[in-house]
Amino acid sequence: MTRRGLLIILSSPSGAGKSTLAGRLRAWDATLQFSVSATTRPARDGEVDGKDYFFVEVPDFQAQVADGGMLEHARVFGNYYGSPKAPVQTAIESGRDVLFDIDWQGAQQISNSALQEHVLSIFILPPSIAELHRRLVNRGQDAPDVIEGRMQKSWDEISHWDGYDYVIVNDDLDATEQQLKTIISAERLRRSQQPQLMDHVRDLQSQFGERT
């Protein structure tokens, strides 16, 4: 292994471009893998266990939380959702980066977890509230009342911008994509991500000794 993997967290209010940017990152580097969440809700038609979600029963989910097996978790509309720790730890120890598309609460939990030294958190801001609303309307996925709900929620999400390692204003999708690539490429070279460096330095020191 030449390096350890990163836990790359992308967060933003709905409509800021996070999902599009995550897709572009995976197209740029096919080794990037999405974290597969666990959930206690029933599987929907077409969903595959272990690919879309890990579908588990409530007692099993709660036991994993109690044992420290979830990097982050939350209860949403009566169902539990969370990010299992074991597959993420296996990935980063194998030098593979794991991509998380989560909100600020999940990001905070992961940043305070046992794997925090490998976390790279990035928050995506819209250029303006008017532009955020325009994007939500233009993507044509939600009814007007749902869009209004997302707009109201966006203020709370934006207020947590300062809890992230990097913050990018997405006023140009191509430029933001390039900034994300630059950040990830640099963070992969972080000293803590390169376990082989110590052995290399020792080898260099031994070479100096051989010269005397």
Side-chain angles (χ1 to χ4, degrees):
M1 182 179 63
T2 58
R3 69 176 182 88
R4 295 186 178 93
L6 292 167
L7 281 71
I8 304 171
I9 297 172
L10 291 183
S11 299
S12 77
S14 294
K18 173 183 50 160
S19 297
T20 299
L21 289 164
R24 289 195 176 196
L25 287 177
R26 294 195 73 194
W28 165 61
D29 186 345
T31 66
L32 275 174
Q33 64 182 70
F34 267 120
S35 172
V36 179
S37 297
T39 183
T40 59
R41 74 160 173 78
R44 296 173 181 146
D45 289 344
E47 289 183 330
V48 178
D49 184 44
K51 179 181 179 183
D52 299 291
Y53 286 95
F54 293 110
F55 295 99
V56 299
E57 299 296 325
V58 171
D60 293 334
F61 189 99
Q62 293 175 330
Q64 288 187 56
V65 171
D67 292 340
M70 290 289 177
L71 288 171
E72 56 86 23
H73 66 280
R75 191 175 185 182
V76 182
F77 300 120
N79 296 305
Y80 290 101
Y81 294 82
S83 301
K85 176 182 175 182
V88 174
Q89 187 158 14
T90 298
I92 64 173
E93 289 176 354
S94 301
R96 300 193 308 274
D97 300 324
V98 182
L99 191 60
F100 292 81
D101 180 346
I102 55 178
D103 64 13
W104 69 268
Q105 292 168 310
Q108 190 175 61
Q109 290 183 55
I110 292 178
S111 295
N112 293 326
S113 73
L115 302 179
Q116 60 182 278
E117 67 174 314
H118 306 296
V119 170
L120 165 59
S121 61
I122 306 169
F123 196 88
I124 309 297
L125 286 171
S128 69
I129 297 304
E131 175 62 15
L132 184 67
H133 184 265
R134 186 192 70 80
R135 291 176 184 178
L136 287 172
V137 171
N138 287 354
R139 72 184 187 181
Q141 295 179 354
D142 301 312
D145 60 326
V146 175
I147 291 175
E148 184 57 32
R150 293 187 186 281
M151 289 298 300
Q152 292 177 4
K153 186 181 178 183
S154 68
W155 172 245
D156 179 58
E157 294 169 327
I158 290 172
S159 70
H160 295 279
W161 67 276
D162 58 351
Y164 289 74
D165 298 320
Y166 296 88
V167 179
I168 301 176
V169 178
N170 182 24
D171 52 3
D172 180 277
L173 197 60
D174 291 337
T176 302
E177 177 188 355
Q178 188 56 52
Q179 288 174 324
L180 285 173
K181 292 176 182 177
T182 299
I183 290 169
I184 292 171
S185 296
E187 288 288 323
R188 285 171 171 173
L189 296 174
R190 199 193 309 168
R191 188 179 64 191
S192 61
Q193 296 304 112
Q194 300 186 74
Q196 85 288 356
L197 283 180
M198 181 58 73
D199 288 338
H200 183 67
V201 170
R202 286 172 178 161
D203 182 56
L204 292 175
Q205 290 172 334
S206 68
Q207 291 176 38
F208 269 109
E210 291 169 1
R211 291 169 53 88
T212 61

